[in-house]
Amino acid sequence: MSLIEVKGLKKSYGDVHAVRGVDLEIAQGEIFSLLGPNGAGKTTTVEILEGFRTRDSGTVSVLGFDPQTRGHESREWRNRIGIVLQSSADAGDLTVIETIDHFSGYYSNPRNVDEVIHSVGLVEKENALIRNLSGGQRRRLDVALGIIGNPELLFLDEPTTGFDPEARRSFWALIQSLRSSGTTILLTTHYLDEAEALADRVAVINNGVIIEVSTPTELGGRSTSQATVSWRDGQISKSEKSDNPTELVATLSSHFGGEVPELVVSRPSLEDIYLEMIGGTHESDS
Ligand code: ATP
């Protein structure tokens, strides 16, 4: 069952054609990541799905409703959605716990406030004023506010910007646990390792057009691309591309009589593939 269905979505700002015919289907329980360079049309697309921007043409269904014309069911619809925007409104004079508690009151079936504070790693800061939080802590609060309503569908727009590596890992664990509990997630990120760790499928968007939708491991033919085998031979570092790295490693192993010095076998990272896909075309031609 698709929770999100988008067909032929278009949106222009004056003569800037930000989104130029996007089709998307996101299934229930899936983590779907939208990847693309600055200005590609990600935020425009996501904010149309969230009901914050209007579209010029195309059809959009989110949880069975058109976000633009949802009318009287708006409150019920909002109740089922969690949103973490790129930047959030300021509530500087409240503490962390007061803020989360306050937001929980907007929802009919909120999560437990203490559990949410724990899951985003803000226990030690729960009585701190928002204005005294660091950037990364502030972002964790944004995430807490996105999940406090126990949403069926969660929009995460660059959620880990400003997180330190440890906080990012614990955030990933949180997202994985939300997925296990059935939450559908649309994630926008510039971190390719984040998309790789979390996403079931990724869509690469550039200049308002989706270039490819695939799993992170198969994007751009990644799973069938050549492996690079590198090793050290005396003073010289060597490397070779191969369709059959196992055979090459076996040959090297018999050449060296066992252990191959500094052996590394690698395939292109998601980032390599992504950069190749958008390479040279990231300037808007609209
Ligand atoms: P980023 O990764 O930088 O967040 P994005 O992929 O989210 O980028 P959008 O914010 O959707 O990109 O912007 C797509 C294009 O539309 C850009 O050229 C941008 O300048 C333009 N644009 C976005 N919002 C507006 C607006 N409110 N008015 C005019 N132009 C806009």
Side-chain angles (χ1 to χ4, degrees):
M1 189 190 117
S2 294
L3 277 199
I4 295 180
E5 273 185 38
V6 176
K7 289 202 183 85
L9 178 65
K10 291 188 181 167
K11 173 75 177 179
S12 297
Y13 306 99
D15 55 5
V16 176
H17 303 299
V19 176
R20 303 188 296 167
V22 159
D23 298 327
L24 281 178
E25 270 197 34
I26 301 176
Q28 178 164 23
E30 176 170 45
I31 300 186
F32 191 94
S33 181
L34 209 46
L35 306 174
N38 293 135
K42 302 179 297 296
T43 303
T44 300
T45 302
V46 169
E47 292 199 353
I48 288 170
L49 303 185
E50 292 167 345
F52 293 140
R53 295 193 201 194
T54 56
R55 60 185 183 269
D56 296 339
S57 59
T59 58
V60 177
S61 166
V62 175
L63 295 170
F65 294 99
D66 181 340
Q68 198 164 311
T69 57
R70 60 193 182 277
H72 65 280
E73 67 274 0
S74 170
R75 199 177 162 79
E76 189 235 340
W77 184 79
R78 285 252 165 257
N79 202 22
R80 299 165 64 194
I81 291 174
I83 295 177
V84 178
L85 296 170
Q86 258 180 43
S87 59
S88 49
D90 214 35
D93 285 331
L94 294 177
T95 65
V96 167
I97 194 162
E98 284 167 349
T99 306
I100 299 175
D101 193 43
H102 176 75
F103 272 78
S104 77
Y106 292 139
Y107 299 95
S108 57
N109 181 30
R111 287 161 61 111
N112 177 282
V113 172
D114 291 331
E115 269 174 33
V116 166
I117 290 175
H118 187 263
S119 69
V120 299
L122 281 177
V123 175
E124 283 167 23
K125 291 285 169 187
E126 67 178 19
N127 293 312
L129 294 178
I130 309 297
R131 66 175 133 85
N132 294 336
L133 297 179
S134 73
Q137 290 163 347
R138 185 61 221 255
R139 203 72 194 117
R140 294 186 202 196
L141 174 64
D142 292 337
V143 173
L145 298 179
I147 64 174
I148 187 65
N150 206 6
E152 284 167 57
L153 171 63
L154 179 61
F155 291 98
L156 293 170
D157 199 355
E158 299 182 25
T160 60
T161 303
F163 278 31
D164 61 41
E166 196 190 351
R168 177 167 290 135
R169 289 297 165 121
S170 64
F171 172 79
W172 291 357
L174 166 65
I175 295 307
Q176 277 152 347
S177 78
L178 289 173
R179 188 217 336 239
S180 325
S181 64
T183 313
T184 306
I185 296 169
L186 178 54
L187 167 75
T188 310
T189 183
H190 286 293
Y191 299 112
L192 279 296
D193 57 343
E194 185 159 286
E196 177 134 45
L198 295 178
D200 298 301
R201 290 190 302 147
V202 297
V204 177
I205 181 169
N206 197 12
N207 288 329
V209 176
I210 296 214
I211 307 175
E212 190 177 338
V213 180
S214 184
T215 64
T217 45
E218 289 167 323
L219 190 78
R222 187 178 169 210
S223 58
T224 52
S225 60
Q226 287 192 315
T228 302
V229 179
S230 55
W231 68 96
R232 175 169 289 278
D233 194 350
Q235 295 304 308
I236 303 165
S237 291
K238 293 192 167 171
S239 97
E240 203 173 308
K241 289 201 169 191
S242 173
D243 287 320
N244 196 345
T246 311
E247 196 176 287
L248 177 55
V249 169
T251 309
L252 287 168
S253 177
S254 75
H255 170 76
F256 285 102
E259 197 61 32
V260 181
E262 297 179 22
L263 174 68
V264 176
V265 180
S266 62
R267 294 197 190 262
S269 66
L270 185 59
E271 186 158 289
D272 294 335
I273 294 287
Y274 165 81
L275 289 173
E276 205 174 291
M277 288 177 88
I278 63 154
T281 62
H282 60 282
E283 290 301 320
S284 173
D285 60 5
S286 51

